[in-house]
Amino acid sequence: MSVYLIFLFFAMSLCGFRIKHYATNSYFHPFELLGWVTIICFSGFRYGIGTDYYSYESIFYSIERGGAYNESLELGFKLLGALFPNSQDGFFCFLFVLSLITNIVFLIALYRENKKLSENIKLLGLLLFFLSSTYFWPFNGVRQGIACAFVAYSLKYIYARSFIKFAICILIASLFHKSALLVVVIYFLYPIRIPHLFYLFAVLTSIIIHQVGVVSFIGEILLPYLGDKYARYIYNPLDFGGSGLGVYVYVLIFLVLWSARGILSKNLHKHYDILRRIDFYLLLYTIGIILRIFALDNLIFVRFAYYFTIFDMFFIPYLISQFKRPSNRIVLSIFFLFVYFILFLNSIMNSNDLLPYESILLR
């Protein structure tokens, strides 16, 4: 566990250290590139880390040999894997390149989205990249990790209303995980205005649906039609973030975000663009929460929930930055950092076989 905390401290220190240029009133980050290298290497040089690590090693070897599983494997993953020798060293290089792509795309999306925020708020966004496990869960879900990175990158084109460029991002994502194609719907959600109370109603309704067993009942009906590959999701309810209680911690986070948006609406009623972006983030977060709740009954919802968990690191810093009083920004920052840090510790210790950390460099 200490390895992860040391890495987190080291990466944040390198990326967060800054020198102010008073002539231009801007900041220079002399060690930021080294911080990015650290982030990529910690992921790319891991060994045996993640529940599906050895499954992906077997899949990599099957790319050259072919097989039933290989036939359904996404084209992008196969083509990229075919570039490397069919050996253990080849797999290590392949895994490093996958980590390189995933983290660079994520970091570019994060830095671009938060570039107009203050330095401290930008640092909060980077910290949430780690604490929300957006960085760590691709250790297990390698293919979907890349897909989610390109979904995060596509956000720019949603704001710009450039469907072609957005669709290209989603298409690239689908070359690594086909489920990304379903995310194309988020492009059409941005212009929609939804009453503030609807978000709360939707989350509370999803909790009721879960409690009365509707999701499990529907899953049992669909079970005969899913086949063996997807039936296992129905048989295995989710232990998301370490325990079912963890999902309700995310519900608590949602309630704070929903309340904060309500408070801001009084001061930002004339700032339509800001409110629209906040509402879009809130809608995506709400969908993610609902899918997390449904995943307590059927694991299959996890595949779709992942695409909405990546927006925490965008939404929270942007929302906090809209509060004018420093005291409000500080209180909200402390709250989110505390809660996400607890979730982070729980995730590292209880899920995805992340402990103990091992590296190919130390074997």
Side-chain angles (χ1 to χ4, degrees):
M1 183 65 194
S2 59
V3 174
Y4 287 93
L5 295 176
I6 293 171
F7 158 73
L8 185 60
F9 175 79
F10 190 60
M12 290 300 301
S13 297
L14 291 173
C15 292
F17 183 81
R18 57 187 184 265
I19 300 172
K20 188 170 183 177
H21 192 280
Y22 287 96
T24 60
N25 199 32
S26 60
Y27 289 90
F28 173 61
H29 298 78
F31 305 121
E32 191 170 68
L33 180 59
L34 184 58
W36 282 40
V37 171
T38 301
I39 292 168
I40 293 166
C41 289
F42 188 80
S43 170
F45 290 143
R46 69 187 186 277
Y47 176 76
I49 303 300
T51 306
D52 291 341
Y53 180 90
Y54 295 107
S55 296
Y56 273 104
E57 187 174 23
S58 299
I59 293 170
F60 170 76
Y61 294 139
S62 76
I63 291 175
E64 184 176 288
R65 298 192 303 266
Y69 191 93
N70 186 269
E71 292 177 1
S72 63
L73 198 62
E74 287 82 359
L75 181 62
F77 191 84
K78 286 197 291 187
L79 291 178
L80 191 60
L83 297 176
F84 299 91
N86 197 250
S87 63
Q88 188 176 58
D89 287 343
F91 174 68
F92 291 158
C93 293
F94 178 50
L95 190 66
F96 179 83
V97 170
L98 289 172
S99 298
L100 177 71
I101 296 171
T102 302
N103 288 296
I104 284 182
V105 175
F106 262 133
L107 288 169
I108 290 175
L110 176 63
Y111 275 64
R112 184 181 63 191
E113 189 69 11
N114 293 344
K115 66 180 179 180
K116 294 183 179 180
L117 305 182
S118 69
E119 290 295 317
N120 290 333
I121 298 296
K122 287 180 184 177
L123 204 58
L124 173 63
L126 180 62
L127 190 52
L128 287 173
F129 172 56
F130 299 112
L131 297 185
S132 65
S133 292
T134 300
Y135 171 75
F136 292 105
W137 64 255
F139 284 24
N140 183 47
V142 176
R143 289 181 297 133
Q144 196 170 7
I146 290 186
C148 284
F150 280 99
V151 170
Y153 187 86
S154 74
L155 204 58
K156 171 185 178 181
Y157 304 118
I158 296 177
Y159 299 145
R161 309 312 293 155
S162 177
F163 181 75
I164 299 299
K165 293 180 180 179
F166 167 79
I168 290 173
C169 289
I170 299 302
L171 180 60
I172 294 173
S174 70
L175 292 176
F176 293 92
H177 209 281
K178 291 186 285 288
S179 62
L181 291 173
L182 297 175
V183 187
V184 71
V185 69
I186 68 174
Y187 181 87
F188 304 100
L189 297 178
Y190 183 60
I192 298 176
R193 296 297 302 274
I194 297 177
H196 188 54
L197 281 174
F198 176 82
Y199 301 105
L200 182 61
F201 174 79
V203 171
L204 294 178
T205 300
S206 68
I207 294 174
I208 295 172
I209 290 173
H210 157 64
Q211 292 294 335
V212 300
V214 173
V215 178
S216 297
F217 176 72
I218 295 175
E220 291 175 3
I221 294 176
L222 295 177
L223 189 58
Y225 306 99
L226 293 175
D228 294 338
K229 182 177 179 180
Y230 295 101
R232 64 188 180 91
Y233 290 106
I234 303 299
Y235 282 123
N236 294 282
L238 175 64
D239 186 21
F240 197 89
S243 70
L245 181 61
V247 174
Y248 290 101
V249 174
Y250 282 104
V251 173
L252 172 62
I253 294 173
F254 161 79
L255 292 174
V256 174
L257 291 170
W258 179 81
S259 301
R261 190 277 178 206
I263 294 171
L264 282 174
S265 64
K266 301 175 182 178
N267 300 322
L268 297 174
H269 62 278
K270 294 182 179 179
H271 299 272
Y272 175 72
D273 290 340
I274 295 176
L275 279 178
R276 185 166 68 164
R277 182 170 293 198
I278 290 175
D279 285 343
F280 181 58
Y281 281 139
L282 184 59
L283 178 57
L284 296 178
Y285 197 90
T286 301
I287 294 172
I289 290 295
I290 292 172
L291 291 172
R292 288 175 189 264
I293 293 169
F294 287 170
L296 289 170
D297 293 309
N298 291 325
L299 189 57
I300 197 169
F301 288 102
V302 175
R303 288 297 182 186
F304 308 109
Y306 285 152
Y307 291 112
F308 299 93
T309 60
I310 58 177
F311 296 108
D312 304 28
M313 59 183 180
F314 301 151
F315 182 20
I316 292 174
Y318 188 77
L319 184 77
I320 291 176
S321 70
Q322 303 307 317
F323 282 89
K324 301 303 180 184
R325 292 184 179 179
S327 58
N328 291 335
R329 295 197 296 269
I330 292 172
V331 169
L332 284 172
S333 298
I334 291 174
F335 168 79
F336 288 120
L337 286 177
F338 174 77
V339 175
Y340 272 95
F341 186 70
I342 297 300
L343 290 170
F344 162 73
L345 293 178
N346 188 49
S347 177
I348 295 295
M349 292 187 293
N350 296 310
S351 65
N352 295 332
D353 292 335
L354 296 178
L355 294 176
Y357 178 83
E358 293 186 43
S359 172
I360 62 173
L361 301 177
L362 302 176
R363 293 184 66 241

